[in-house]
Amino acid sequence: MNKPLENSSDAKNEPVTIKVSGKKRTFDIDDPKLPDWVKDSKLSAGGFPYKDELDNDDYEKQLERLQIELVKLQGWMQQGGARVLALFEGRDAAGKGGTISRIRAYMNPRTARNVALPKPSETERGQWYFQRYVAHFPTAGEFVTFDRSWYNRGGVEPVMGFCTPVQHEQFLDETPDFERAIVNDGIHFFKFWLNIGQETQLERFHDRRHSKLKHWKFSPMDVAGIKKWDDYTRMRDLMLERTHSAHAPWTVVRANDKRRARLAVIRRILLAIAYDGRDLDAIGPEDQLIIGSGPGFLS
């Protein structure tokens, strides 16, 4: 008889010693009490520019206006056959899934779909690397989001040893040309990197680990990743430097505050596409402290 899968909330994890903000810290993900050094820095980590999260009432009002515009955008796409492809990358717990969920909340699911692929099958491992992603690209009138994408090979795979250095370098070399083909075919193409601070990530991991609703989101990969913050940072910086281009730029979003990040992402999409009936007053201006372009916005 097969042993049932162990619930992630039951798995025991050893405390880890990590360097955070220049200091050695011991972090025990299984301790129900969140350390003060995490709690006190969860918003300000990594130089986040605001001292407080966006007020929820203000957020909900802005979000509703933007979601109305997304519905208008989708109607325009269906009438004219426009295609949108938006991929979301970032460290674990950066808020990719939540942002995608708010984008798609009121859109017609028949032509607005999300792609979140599992690890490649044996057949897929033998194919051209980009092949399994291309199969999910939008057809006429479709709005497609990717919750992680081909950029797995730019960050997770080299850090965790899931690809060779040669494969990693080949990916960095080929990706700009691959993305040029996407744009040249007329697809509205967006690449979002949601950037969070180290203490922010630890707080979100801790929340997942001790939540009866969200513990399934926390995995052994997350535990392993806690100790590899600096490795992920190096790969992130290299990936953004090598794959940021005029035709397919990276949009970087400071995402310690999920509310501000979600609004910034939606606003960027709506401002980039001149759809019929677009209400620029309802969309509003971008927050340039939260959203910017390319690796330079990280510094």
Side-chain angles (χ1 to χ4, degrees), residues 52-69:
D52 300 295
E53 293 181 339
L54 181 65
D55 175 76
N56 189 60
D57 288 342
D58 187 7
Y59 163 69
E60 292 291 347
K61 289 176 183 177
Q62 291 190 55
L63 180 62
E64 182 179 17
R65 291 197 297 268
L66 295 176
Q67 288 173 330
I68 290 171
E69 291 299 308

Side-chain angles (χ1 to χ4, degrees), residues 13-14 16 29 205 218-228:
N13 305 283
E14 294 295 326
V16 296
I29 192 71
F205 278 167
F218 188 73
S219 72
M221 281 284 288
D222 294 329
V223 177
I226 288 175
K227 296 182 285 187
K228 294 181 178 293

Side-chain angles (χ1 to χ4, degrees), residues 29-47:
I29 192 71
D30 288 340
D31 187 343
K33 185 178 184 300
L34 184 68
D36 288 340
W37 58 267
V38 175
K39 187 184 304 182
D40 294 342
S41 301
K42 65 179 183 179
L43 186 63
S44 62

Side-chain angles (χ1 to χ4, degrees), residues 4 25 40 43-44 49 64 82 90 98 128 149 169 176 192 212 214 234-235 275 281 284:
R25 301 284 195 179
D40 294 342
L43 186 63
S44 62
E64 182 179 17
W128 175 48
S149 66
E169 175 59 30
F192 292 104
K212 293 182 179 180
K214 297 186 289 185
R234 284 190 288 272
M235 288 301 169
Y275 56 93
D281 290 333

Side-chain angles (χ1 to χ4, degrees), residues 12 43 171 214 293:
K12 300 301 179 183
L43 186 63
F171 169 81
K214 297 186 289 185
S293 181

Side-chain angles (χ1 to χ4, degrees), residues 62-77 103 106-107 143 266-267 269-271 273-284:
Q62 291 190 55
L63 180 62
E64 182 179 17
R65 291 197 297 268
L66 295 176
Q67 288 173 330
I68 290 171
E69 291 299 308
L70 283 170
V71 172
K72 289 161 63 175
L73 168 63
Q74 187 181 26
W76 171 81
M77 290 174 59
I103 291 172
Y106 296 101
M107 299 179 81
F143 188 112
I266 300 173
R267 190 169 280 123
I269 293 171
L270 294 171
L271 290 174
I273 304 174
Y275 56 93
D276 291 344
R278 183 172 61 167
D279 186 342
L280 293 176
D281 290 333
I283 296 170

Side-chain angles (χ1 to χ4, degrees), residues 26-259:
T26 299
F27 182 69
D28 184 358
I29 192 71
D30 288 340
D31 187 343
K33 185 178 184 300
L34 184 68
D36 288 340
W37 58 267
V38 175
K39 187 184 304 182
D40 294 342
S41 301
K42 65 179 183 179
L43 186 63
S44 62
F48 190 73
Y50 288 99
K51 295 181 179 179
D52 300 295
E53 293 181 339
L54 181 65
D55 175 76
N56 189 60
D57 288 342
D58 187 7
Y59 163 69
E60 292 291 347
K61 289 176 183 177
Q62 291 190 55
L63 180 62
E64 182 179 17
R65 291 197 297 268
L66 295 176
Q67 288 173 330
I68 290 171
E69 291 299 308
L70 283 170
V71 172
K72 289 161 63 175
L73 168 63
Q74 187 181 26
W76 171 81
M77 290 174 59
Q78 291 172 330
Q79 289 179 3
R83 295 167 291 166
V84 171
L85 174 58
L87 62 84
F88 290 82
E89 293 289 344
R91 299 179 193 266
D92 293 323
K96 300 178 290 296
T99 301
I100 292 169
S101 175
R102 271 58 177 193
I103 291 172
R104 300 179 63 245
Y106 296 101
M107 299 179 81
N108 185 340
R110 292 178 180 173
T111 55
R113 54 186 174 86
N114 185 50
V115 180
L117 300 182
K119 65 181 182 180
S121 66
E122 183 176 350
T123 298
E124 290 170 332
R125 286 195 296 269
Q127 295 173 341
W128 175 48
Y129 176 72
F130 296 101
Q131 186 168 339
R132 75 184 191 126
Y133 298 102
V134 173
H136 297 275
F137 277 18
T139 188
E142 278 196 318
F143 188 112
V144 175
T145 52
F146 273 77
D147 187 345
R148 292 199 182 277
S149 66
W150 47 93
Y151 280 100
N152 280 328
R153 183 146 290 180
V156 174
E157 290 190 17
V159 169
M160 301 305 294
F162 297 155
C163 71
T164 67
V166 171
Q167 289 173 324
H168 179 227
E169 175 59 30
Q170 182 180 358
F171 169 81
L172 294 174
D173 185 56
E174 292 180 350
T175 296
D177 289 334
F178 170 65
E179 293 176 349
R180 186 185 299 277
I182 295 173
V183 175
N184 286 350
D185 202 55
I187 294 175
H188 296 278
F189 182 45
F190 299 89
K191 300 191 303 188
F192 292 104
W193 176 268
L194 304 187
N195 201 63
I196 57 172
Q198 191 170 9
E199 292 95 332
T200 312
Q201 185 188 58
L202 293 174
E203 188 272 337
R204 292 180 184 178
F205 278 167
H206 187 271
D207 179 59
R208 290 178 177 184
R209 172 67 181 83
H210 297 279
S211 169
K212 293 182 179 180
L213 296 175
K214 297 186 289 185
H215 61 76
W216 58 271
K217 290 186 174 184
F218 188 73
S219 72
M221 281 284 288
D222 294 329
V223 177
I226 288 175
K227 296 182 285 187
K228 294 181 178 293
W229 177 269
D230 291 339
D231 295 330
Y232 275 112
T233 299
R234 284 190 288 272
M235 288 301 169
R236 175 204 66 187
D237 292 349
L238 178 61
M239 181 186 79
L240 265 62
E241 178 185 348
R242 295 279 299 275
T243 61
H244 178 67
S245 63
H247 58 273
W250 275 104
T251 296
V252 177
V253 182
R254 294 183 174 128
N256 285 8
D257 180 357
K258 293 180 179 180
R259 295 169 185 166

